[in-house]
């Protein structure tokens, strides 16, 4: 009757049941209404596209259910088979430095889930995305991306863990405070490094060529006082037919990135409206407001973790032997806390999604005001929805848990109100 084991089992079961239930609700809703063309998009979307969207989303539904069940089953097996303590004590018995043994333990714990995810990733890319005309990937490109992702992940992850080990070793009481601070500094540093060094490993970024589009976008940035290091086009079409646009970076490394697929699908006015939406997040200080919430939460969670990590029952629940002051065991405890409380994150989804959708509505309204009309953003959103085969309508409970952005029809109605 160990409380941590009970929380692990209940959270895992809740996550699986909630995921299957929500996806099944959406699947049944799609069977009834998936091919309907609402009045708001009539003339822009046809029944053939709606029918293709239904097939595309159904294909993802089936594989998603299998992956959720198998992932939960794998985690349960690893817990009850004693895999984690076995790996931990095997590494510990090698008498390695904590700067080596602790990263090694974390990497070893991730290997089973990584292996399980490979066939699902392959099927998604070559069985679903290829079938529906999105994927332009070759087997060689897929393998190269996988290898690069693993290498980049290790280059980022291992030094970060070593910094955490140093903090644990030198700050016995207030390690949680310095750990949270180090994590936040690392996150800000990564936002600077990513656009300049990591993203170019996977895609080619070229400056947006001179013309009407660049003139419009530069004028928009100037009007909003947004200083970017440049406007870039990403060769997204080399891998996929999906389209998007985003801001990336921090400080002087900020840049605006447009998918080449987006440029080929939209008019200059529509792209301008999309960029105005992104600028809305900047002008409304959504990122800063989110950080004002997230930063205290990180400190609070790590403080709570510092209290729980000294509880022997946490380790005993998963087959570990508690030993006070053992730095390696403390890191094993952090991993165990992620196992116990990670699945419970679904409970917070409606709250975080509510505030995220609220920000999106505000950014849409800002775009409408800045551009003088919401029509171009409406047509851009419809095109994004059509080209990405996104659902037109979803059950309210499904969007409550799974949509960080408002569904298309809600955004259109708000813009036309």
């Amino acid at each position: 009757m160990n409380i941590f084991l009970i929380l692990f089992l209940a959270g895992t079961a809740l996550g699986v049941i909630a995921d299957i239930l929500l996806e099944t609700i959406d699947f049944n809703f799609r069977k009834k209404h998936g091919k309907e063309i609402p009045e708001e998009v009539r003339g822009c979307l046809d029944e053939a596209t709606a029918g293709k969207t239904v097939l595309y989303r159904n294909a993802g539904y089936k594989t998603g259910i299998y992956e959720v069940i198998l992932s939960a089953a794998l985690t349960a097996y690893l817990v009850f088979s004693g895999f984690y303590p076995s790996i931990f004590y095997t590494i510990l018995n090698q008498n390695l430095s904590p700067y080596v043994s602790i990263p090694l333990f974390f990497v070893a714990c991730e290997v089973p889930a990584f292996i399980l995810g490979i066939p699902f990733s392959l099927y998604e890319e070559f069985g679903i995305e290829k079938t529906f005309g999105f994927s332009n990937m070759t087997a060689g490109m897929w393998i190269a991306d996988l290898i690069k992702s693993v290498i980049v992940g290790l280059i980022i992850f291992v030094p970060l863990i070593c910094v955490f080990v140093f903090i644990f070793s030198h700050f016995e009481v207030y390690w949680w405070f310095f750990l949270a601070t180090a994590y936040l500094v690392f996150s800000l540093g990564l936002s600077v490094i990513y656009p300049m060094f990591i993203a170019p490993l996977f895609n080619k970024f070229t400056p947006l060529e001179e013309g009407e589009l660049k003139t419009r976008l530069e004028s928009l940035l100037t009007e909003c006082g947004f200083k970017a290091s440049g406007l870039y086009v990403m060769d997204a079409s080399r891998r996929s037919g999906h389209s998007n646009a985003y801001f990336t970076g921090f400080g002087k490394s900020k840049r605006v990135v447009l998918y080449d697929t987006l440029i080929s699908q939209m008019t200059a006015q529509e792209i301008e409206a999309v960029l105005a939406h992104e600028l809305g997040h900047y002008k409304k200080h959504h990122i800063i407001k989110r950080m004002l919430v997230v930063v205290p939460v990180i400190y609070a969670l790590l403080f709570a973790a510092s209290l729980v990590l000294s509880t022997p029952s946490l380790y005993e629940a998963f087959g570990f032997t508690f030993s006070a002051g053992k730095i390696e065991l403390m890191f094993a405890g952090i991993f165990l806390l992620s196992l116990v409380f990670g699945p419970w994150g679904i409970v917070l989804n409606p709250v975080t999604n509510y505030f995220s959708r609220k920000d999106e509505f505000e950014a849409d309204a800002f775009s409408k005001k800045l551009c003088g009309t919401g029509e171009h953003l409406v047509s851009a959103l419809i095109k994004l929805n059509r080209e990405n085969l996104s659902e037109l309508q979803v059950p309210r409970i499904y969007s409550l848990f799974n949509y960080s952005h408002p569904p298309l029809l809600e955004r259109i109605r708000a813009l036309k109100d």
Side-chain angles (χ1 to χ4, degrees):
M1 296 298 292
N2 186 296
I3 184 62
F4 292 103
L5 190 59
I6 292 171
L7 286 170
F8 164 73
L9 291 172
T12 301
L14 174 67
V16 172
I17 292 170
D19 206 336
I20 293 175
L21 184 62
L22 288 168
E23 292 299 332
T24 302
I25 290 172
D26 188 42
F27 175 76
N28 290 330
F29 184 88
R30 201 161 48 236
K31 283 201 299 186
K32 273 187 176 182
H33 306 287
K35 295 182 181 180
E36 295 175 0
I37 307 297
E39 182 65 34
E40 291 87 346
V41 295
R42 197 159 291 163
C44 301
L45 293 169
D46 54 31
E47 290 186 5
T49 303
K52 188 177 180 181
T53 299
V54 169
L55 294 174
Y56 176 60
R57 295 296 162 180
N58 285 351
Y61 159 75
K62 294 171 185 175
T63 55
I65 294 295
Y66 296 144
E67 187 170 11
V68 166
I69 293 173
L70 288 177
S71 294
L74 174 64
T75 303
Y77 171 77
L78 294 176
V79 166
F80 291 107
S81 68
F83 172 81
Y84 295 122
S86 175
I87 287 292
F88 177 78
Y89 289 109
T90 298
I91 295 173
L92 195 65
N93 290 336
Q94 306 307 309
N95 295 316
L96 301 169
S97 164
Y99 291 97
V100 176
S101 61
I102 292 172
L104 198 57
F105 169 70
F106 276 101
V107 170
C109 288
E110 292 300 320
V111 167
F114 174 77
I115 293 173
L116 177 65
I118 289 176
F120 286 102
S121 179
L122 278 169
Y123 179 72
E124 181 182 354
E125 189 67 47
F126 297 101
I128 298 178
E129 296 294 301
K130 280 275 187 197
T131 300
F132 288 90
F134 286 121
S135 177
N136 296 318
M137 292 276 277
T138 64
M141 288 170 63
W142 189 89
I143 293 170
D145 280 357
L146 180 67
I147 293 171
K148 284 188 283 188
S149 297
V150 170
I151 293 172
V152 169
L154 290 174
I155 290 173
I156 293 172
F157 174 77
V158 172
L160 180 63
I161 292 296
C162 290
V163 170
F164 290 176
V165 172
F166 177 84
I167 291 172
F168 262 92
S169 303
H170 292 79
F171 304 97
E172 292 184 7
V173 179
Y174 297 107
W175 62 263
W176 58 271
F177 176 83
F178 294 102
L179 192 65
T181 303
Y183 174 76
L184 292 171
V185 170
F186 166 78
S187 299
L188 288 175
L190 188 60
S191 67
V192 174
I193 293 170
Y194 177 81
M196 294 190 294
F197 300 106
I198 299 176
L201 294 174
F202 299 90
N203 289 98
K204 184 179 179 181
F205 295 84
T206 55
L208 180 63
E209 61 184 27
E210 299 294 332
E212 180 195 358
L213 178 59
K214 185 175 182 180
T215 301
R216 278 179 173 274
L217 300 189
E218 286 181 337
S219 174
L220 202 63
L221 294 174
T222 302
E223 185 177 350
C224 291
F226 185 89
K227 295 180 180 179
S229 62
L231 294 161
Y232 291 87
V233 179
M234 189 180 91
D235 64 337
S237 59
R238 183 166 170 261
R239 285 176 170 78
S240 172
H242 291 294
S243 54
N244 203 357
Y246 64 90
F247 288 152
T248 186
F250 180 78
K252 292 183 179 180
S253 70
K254 286 188 298 189
R255 56 174 62 181
V256 178
V257 177
L258 307 173
Y259 284 23
D260 57 354
T261 47
L262 186 82
I263 293 175
S264 67
Q265 293 165 1
M266 294 190 183
T267 66
Q269 289 176 312
E270 289 168 342
I271 296 173
E272 182 183 33
V274 170
L275 181 60
H277 167 91
E278 298 300 332
L279 286 168
H281 290 302
Y282 165 72
K283 295 296 287 185
K284 296 292 183 179
H285 309 295
H286 291 157
I287 296 174
I288 293 174
K289 289 176 182 177
R290 193 166 299 177
M291 287 181 67
L292 290 174
V293 174
V294 170
V295 170
V297 168
I298 290 173
Y299 280 95
L301 288 176
L302 282 172
F303 173 69
S306 72
L307 302 178
V308 178
L309 287 177
S310 58
T311 307
S313 56
L314 169 65
Y315 305 91
E316 293 164 359
F318 297 92
F320 291 78
T321 302
F322 180 73
S323 177
K326 193 72 174 174
I327 187 172
E328 289 89 351
L329 195 66
M330 295 290 279
F331 276 89
I334 291 175
F335 173 76
L336 296 177
L337 286 177
S338 71
L339 279 182
V340 172
F341 294 106
W344 289 95
I346 192 171
V347 176
L348 297 176
N349 281 4
V351 177
T352 56
N353 286 340
Y354 168 79
F355 287 104
S356 177
R357 286 195 297 269
K358 182 175 177 292
D359 289 348
E360 294 302 323
F361 279 127
E362 285 186 1
D364 282 352
F366 180 86
S367 174
K368 177 180 179 178
K369 182 178 180 180
L370 189 62
C371 296
T373 176
E375 291 304 315
H376 300 308
L377 183 58
V378 167
S379 60
L381 291 173
I382 292 173
K383 285 184 179 179
L384 279 171
N385 188 278
R386 181 183 65 209
E387 299 301 328
N388 291 316
L389 293 182
S390 299
E391 291 180 275
L392 288 173
Q393 305 177 82
V394 293
R396 184 169 292 276
I397 190 170
Y398 185 81
S399 66
L400 188 71
F401 278 88
N402 291 331
Y403 272 43
S404 61
H405 285 52
L408 175 65
L409 297 185
E410 290 184 24
R411 295 179 75 174
I412 292 175
R413 288 164 188 160
L415 282 165
K416 289 187 175 182
D417 187 358

